[in-house]
Each structure stands twice: as structure tokens, then as C-alpha cells.
Amino acid sequence: RHRLATGAAGLGVIAAGLALAVPAAAGARPGLALVAAALLGAGYGLALSFGLTEAAAAAPPERLAMVTSLFWTAAYLGMLTPYALALLSRRWSMPVLLAAGAVLAALTCGLLAALHRTAEADRTPA
């Protein structure tokens, strides 16, 4: 129903997955890591769906292919995140990095929810 709801849901699920990954990484708990991985995969799917929907809505028909390819380029660059985390884990522990990711995802989710509320208020007749 609401375009931003899918993005907010995806970020919320990603934040939950990262939050579960913190104790999984800290305590080497593979069962918890499996649940966290499932949540992260679901969140990633929702985020991709949201991004593709937004790209299609923003692009004029003659530029749709280009905008979609730029979106996919950015999405594939995101797949370097595990490598970046491995490099950063030399300085900070993996649970700290995962917790930071969870906080960033939750903050971004809150921002998207605020945008959603603003968009809804703009559409509501006074």
C-alpha cells in the first residue's frame, strides 16, 4: 500500500538480523547465526524490492534501464560489506561492528518511517 513501508520493513528486519548476529558472533552460536542469516536475507530481499520499486518510479521510461542498472551496481557494491567488515575487524571486534550496523539500520529505518509519516500527512486533506 505504501511505497516507503517496504523499505522501512526491510531495514527493520535487517536491524533485527544484525542485532541477533551480535550474540551469535560473540558466543560462536551457530544456531543463532542461522536465524540471523535468515532475517538478514529476508531484509535484503525487502530492501532490494523497495529499491527497484523506487528506481522504477523515479525514472522516466526512456531512462528506466539505465537507472535500474545503476541501482543494481550499487546493490552489488554492497556485497563488499563482508570484506569491509573483515578489514575493520582488525581494529574493532566483529560483535561491535555488527552492533554498529544494527544501530545504523535502525536509525535509517526510523528516518524512513518519519519520511513515510510526512508523506502521509502531505496527502491527508486539511
Side-chain angles (χ1 to χ4, degrees):
R1 281 194 199 189
H2 306 287
R3 285 175 32 188
L4 296 177
T6 304
L11 285 166
V13 173
I14 289 169
L18 287 169
L20 274 178
V22 171
R29 298 170 56 188
L32 194 54
L34 188 60
V35 173
L39 284 173
L40 288 168
Y44 185 65
L46 286 167
L48 279 176
S49 174
F50 171 71
L52 287 169
T53 301
E54 288 299 303
E62 67 275 3
R63 299 274 186 205
L64 181 59
M66 182 191 69
V67 171
T68 302
S69 67
L70 290 173
F71 172 80
W72 277 112
T73 300
Y76 280 116
L77 283 174
M79 292 183 188
L80 292 173
T81 302
Y83 180 67
L85 287 174
L87 292 176
L88 291 171
S89 69
R90 296 176 183 169
R91 177 117 159 79
W92 297 284
S93 71
M94 191 56 70
V96 167
L97 293 171
L98 292 170
V103 168
L104 288 173
L107 288 173
T108 307
C109 181
L111 177 64
L112 203 56
L115 288 172
H116 175 68
R117 283 191 294 278
T118 302
E120 285 296 310
D122 289 344
R123 279 188 270 197
T124 305

